[in-house]
Amino acid sequence: MTVVRRSHERGITTLALDAPERRNALSAQLVGELADALTECGKDGDVRAAVLTHTGNTFSAGADLRDPPDPDVLVALLRQIVELPKPVVARVTGHVRAGGLGLLGACDIAVASQEATFAFTEVRIGVAPAVISLSLLPRLDPRAVARYYLTGEKFDADEAARIGLVTAAGEDADDVLAPVLDGLRRASPDGLAETKRLLTAKVLDSFDRDAADLTALSARLFSSPQAREGMTAFLERRDPSWAW
């Protein structure tokens, strides 16, 4: 069963993460299908831009703890979004947690409805937001990201817009998205590709500089005793042993 659903209308291809029963967690299957869909978008001359969205009430709950993607494969997916010669726009109308936030950071534009909530929950299961920092740290307010990385607190769409995690938030995500898509449809393919190249240069610098170290850190943390306890506690719906 496919977990990334595709549709196309007037130059815009929509890629919907479609595993709502797993809260669109980043499984090896989902990451692979999304990478394949993006590759096709990049090659298709009829695609002006891609919209990345979701079914269900969760955009993505982060890494699938039962079927996690290889860290190198996740890095490759984030880089693919950044390097794609066409804009990628996130449309969020639900919850985003942990690794799912890395997808938002990789997108060129992100819009959210007021129903959306966000949290960097890695520290609560004994790991760190390592790999996703490649796409996030170049874009986010440093003081805000320090708070939310360290505490795992939940925050809303307006705060996400304030700190740079999303571009804009509103009552209805589609109302916010409409002028964005209109602008992209009016732009030339070459103009979009070269402008995106200018905008993503610093983000790609972080991949070139830090990807290997952060991938190694992620692998080390996920195999640690505290991570095993944190993930077990999460799956058993209890507090981990270190929680006061």
Side-chain angles (χ1 to χ4, degrees):
M1 183 181 296
T2 184
V3 293
V4 176
R5 185 158 47 86
R6 311 180 199 186
S7 59
H8 185 84
E9 182 181 3
R10 294 180 53 222
I12 305 297
T13 290
T14 298
L15 306 175
L17 307 184
D18 190 24
E21 71 287 352
R22 301 295 291 272
R23 300 174 67 221
N24 293 319
L26 300 177
S27 64
Q29 180 187 359
L30 187 147
V31 169
E33 286 190 20
L34 181 54
D36 290 345
L38 288 166
T39 296
E40 292 185 18
C41 286
K43 294 177 179 178
D44 190 339
D46 291 331
V47 176
R48 189 63 48 83
V51 171
L52 180 59
T53 189
H54 60 101
T55 61
N57 66 2
T58 302
F59 177 84
S60 177
D64 188 329
L65 300 183
R66 294 184 177 88
D67 180 28
D70 183 280
D72 287 320
V73 175
L74 182 56
V75 168
L77 174 65
L78 297 178
R79 182 161 194 149
Q80 182 181 13
I81 295 171
V82 176
E83 286 189 316
L84 200 76
K86 300 173 184 186
V88 182
V89 181
R91 174 190 174 274
V92 181
T93 60
H95 311 302
V96 196
R97 300 290 185 267
L101 294 160
L103 296 179
L104 297 189
C107 290
D108 303 287
I109 298 170
V111 304
S113 71
Q114 296 298 338
E115 290 82 13
T117 68
F118 309 84
F120 296 98
T121 52
E122 288 88 348
V123 292
R124 299 193 178 189
I125 63 165
V127 297
V131 166
I132 64 172
S133 289
L134 294 166
S135 62
L136 287 164
L137 291 184
R139 300 190 190 275
L140 300 185
D141 174 84
R143 282 295 191 185
V145 76
R147 172 181 176 174
Y148 293 120
Y149 266 26
L150 291 169
T151 67
E153 293 173 81
K154 182 173 70 175
F155 53 98
D156 63 17
D158 289 334
E159 178 70 351
R162 186 189 72 81
I163 70 175
L165 180 61
V166 302
T167 311
E171 194 66 33
D172 187 315
D174 291 321
D175 287 344
V176 180
L177 188 59
V180 173
L181 298 185
D182 181 63
L184 293 173
R185 287 182 170 115
R186 293 172 183 271
S188 80
D190 287 349
L192 288 174
E194 293 305 321
T195 300
K196 177 166 177 172
R197 193 188 305 274
L198 292 172
L199 293 168
T200 57
K202 289 186 178 180
V203 181
L204 289 173
D205 284 346
S206 75
F207 279 82
D208 294 336
R209 184 184 63 245
D210 300 326
D213 288 343
L214 291 178
T215 300
L217 173 62
S218 179
R220 177 171 65 80
L221 289 174
F222 269 94
S223 64
S224 70
Q226 285 194 14
R228 286 195 292 274
E229 162 62 10
M231 288 186 282
T232 300
F234 176 81
L235 294 172
E236 294 178 351
R237 300 181 180 232
R238 62 171 174 83
D239 287 336
S241 59
W242 59 75
W244 290 96

